[in-house]
Amino acid sequence: MPAELVITGSVHLGPKTLVVIPSLSGTTAESIELLRFARSAGAFVLTLTGHAATPLAQEADANLTSFAADDTSSETFTVQALLIALSILDSVDDYTEARRLRSDLAGLPGALLGIKRRFEERAAELAQIIAGSDFHIITGAGGSWPEAFYYGMCILEEMQWIRTRPVHASDFFHGTLELLESGVSVIALKGEGPGRSLVERVEAFVPSITDTLTVIDTADFELPGFSPELRALLAPTLLATALERVSAHLEVLRDHPLSTRRYYRRIQY
């Protein structure tokens, strides 16, 4: 996305624009180029990084540094993005509901730790399923889609070298369904907001072709005191929290640390 925006530009980019750029390393080349491009257009650039002494942290108009490991970065970035969105709503529209939701997030760290602990046994089982197949289709919709896309591309493909087809649940029946046959692994991520019914449509269809269907549903996670609206907004974070435990087991099962790469940041491209 940063590389595309630099090439295409945008009518929305100018002196009244807030540009938010997340980068765990703070050194992503395309993101650095976008930062400079956006600032040259007069935009205010806020960067979210895992390290302070980096170009993206130091050249931004504002920076929030919060250390995270590779496999927990999506958790921290989705929470920060939600906080930013709620803060903007509050400042622009004096949105009381946004203030309440933001306040309710105070108990999130403990809640996420509880999810990890309760999901541990299932995470080990799911890691066995993922390690046992060399091809997966992963799908989601609404709040669950960002994590489906991220986990398929960044974790299973980039960090584990497992062939994976991330596909939005609304597109599943426009081509991808023809890849289904007995034994093909499908991973469906379900949130609790708009888009849930699209994932359920896939969930209902897949067992008629293959018995290798894995469903992770945020509705199964215990979050006492969290409203249905907040649970829906937190879908990518909740799924990332659970899948981090899957990744931890997966790298041991496959003897493949998540940090191992062949090409990414190892050769020039």
Side-chain angles (χ1 to χ4, degrees):
M1 292 174 66
E4 183 179 19
L5 182 56
V6 170
I7 292 172
T8 63
S10 171
V11 295
H12 301 295
L13 188 63
K16 295 184 178 181
T17 307
L18 169 64
V19 176
V20 181
I21 305 176
S23 170
L24 183 62
S25 69
T27 62
T28 308
E30 294 87 351
S31 296
I32 294 171
E33 189 177 4
L34 174 59
L35 181 151
R36 294 167 181 167
F37 177 74
R39 293 197 71 198
S40 70
F44 186 95
V45 178
L46 166 63
T47 57
L48 311 175
T49 61
H51 305 276
T54 57
L56 279 168
Q58 296 176 342
E59 294 185 33
D61 294 294
N63 168 256
L64 298 175
T65 293
S66 178
F67 176 75
D70 278 351
D71 47 341
T72 56
S73 61
S74 61
E75 292 177 58
T76 183
F77 286 146
T78 54
V79 173
Q80 289 180 72
L82 178 57
L83 286 167
I84 291 167
L86 291 173
S87 297
I88 291 171
L89 284 172
D90 189 18
S91 65
V92 172
D93 297 326
D94 191 24
Y95 189 35
T96 305
E97 181 68 5
R99 218 168 304 147
R100 181 185 66 79
L101 291 170
R102 199 169 62 220
S103 175
D104 289 346
L105 286 169
L108 184 62
L112 294 182
L113 182 57
I115 288 173
K116 286 181 187 289
R117 286 173 173 162
R118 287 186 290 271
F119 197 75
E120 189 69 14
E121 185 175 340
R122 186 163 185 234
E125 295 171 355
L126 295 183
Q128 291 278 0
I129 293 172
I130 292 173
S133 177
D134 58 4
F135 171 63
H136 301 274
I137 298 169
I138 186 167
T139 189
S144 71
W145 168 240
E147 183 59 23
F149 180 74
Y150 166 83
Y151 197 76
M153 180 179 67
C154 294
I155 303 294
L156 296 184
E157 291 185 329
E158 179 187 314
M159 299 182 187
Q160 285 293 298
W161 309 345
I162 296 173
R163 290 174 175 80
T164 308
R165 167 76 159 101
V167 59
H168 195 285
S170 64
D171 286 328
F172 191 91
F173 297 96
H174 296 274
T176 303
L177 82 165
E178 291 294 338
L179 297 179
L180 284 183
E181 55 188 45
S182 180
V184 170
S185 168
V186 177
I187 303 168
L189 306 185
K190 286 205 298 186
E192 297 165 69
R196 183 178 176 89
S197 62
L198 294 173
V199 181
E200 289 177 333
R201 183 185 178 203
V202 175
E203 183 184 4
F205 172 76
V206 167
S208 66
I209 309 296
T210 176
D211 59 0
T212 314
L213 171 65
T214 300
V215 180
I216 303 177
D217 187 352
T218 64
D220 296 332
F221 299 151
E222 293 181 28
L223 284 172
F226 283 69
S227 67
E229 181 181 7
L230 189 53
R231 290 181 65 107
L233 291 171
L234 285 170
T237 305
L238 303 179
L239 291 163
T241 293
L243 286 167
E244 183 274 327
R245 299 312 307 147
V246 176
S247 301
H249 288 281
L250 197 57
E251 62 181 348
V252 173
L253 276 175
R254 303 185 74 246
D255 192 23
H256 187 132
L258 297 180
S259 57
T260 301
R261 306 287 196 281
R262 286 183 291 197
Y263 314 121
Y264 181 69
R265 294 191 177 228
R266 301 212 180 264
I267 62 173
Q268 187 64 41
Y269 46 79

